[in-house]
Amino acid sequence: MLSIVIVGAPNVGKSTLFNRLIGKKLALVDDQPGVTRDFREARTRLGKTEVLLIDTAGFDLAEKNSLNERTNVISRSVIQNSNMCLFVIDARKGITSLDSLFAESLRKLSMNVVILANKCEGRLSDAGFYEAFSMGFGSPLAISAEHGIGINLLADAVDSYNNLDQTTS
């Protein structure tokens, strides 16, 4: 079974995406950053592929021995044990310095990463979507986790990766 982890900065829509993809509200969603402290996982199907989907607390700047540092350590561990990362950015905000730092960490891990420009339900997200190309993970997918926009493109990307992975195994 393909293991897929959802990663990104606080409040980019990771838990909303997780809930959308599994079809129920298992992960907490709030406007206040940092609500997710651990990780949640659920089995689901994306396209034709059965996956273990994992929602993380994400990645945040952290002081030594802080709660944020502990959640970063948990998130890194989950990432290292997954087949694929869905790296979510908030397209309305564009690429932030935190997004750039996290992208650098993902590149060092040599992970298979799909970058998702979330919150693309309106024109305010256009600039952020185009900025996402600069992250170095290929073409971003424009999605809206809240409204279900672009989820079919994500399912196609997962199916393509799964088919490629099976032919090289």
Side-chain angles (χ1 to χ4, degrees), residues 15-29:
S15 294
T16 301
L17 178 62
F18 178 81
N19 289 341
R20 166 73 59 188
L21 296 177
I22 66 168
K24 59 184 170 185
K25 294 187 181 205
L26 182 62
L28 294 174
V29 175

Side-chain angles (χ1 to χ4, degrees), residues 81-101:
N81 291 305
S82 297
N83 303 106
M84 175 185 238
C85 286
L86 303 179
F87 180 19
V88 183
I89 63 140
D90 182 338
R92 292 184 296 197
K93 291 182 180 175
I95 302 300
T96 65
S97 57
L98 191 55
D99 293 329
S100 296
L101 283 171

Side-chain angles (χ1 to χ4, degrees), residues 22-23 25-26 36 40 42 52 58 71 78-79 86 98 103 107-108 110 112 118 123 133 135-136 148 161 167:
I22 66 168
K25 294 187 181 205
L26 182 62
T36 305
R40 298 241 187 258
L52 177 64
T71 60
V78 172
I79 291 165
L86 303 179
L98 191 55
R107 280 191 284 279
K108 288 178 184 174
S110 299
N112 180 50
N118 191 28
R123 306 228 18 101
F133 280 91
M135 299 300 279
Y161 173 78
T167 59

Side-chain angles (χ1 to χ4, degrees), residues 2 4 7 10 24 74 86 104 114 116 128-129 139 149 157:
L2 193 63
I4 300 177
V7 299
K24 59 184 170 185
I74 292 168
L86 303 179
E104 188 176 313
V114 175
L116 304 176
F129 170 75
S139 297
I149 298 168

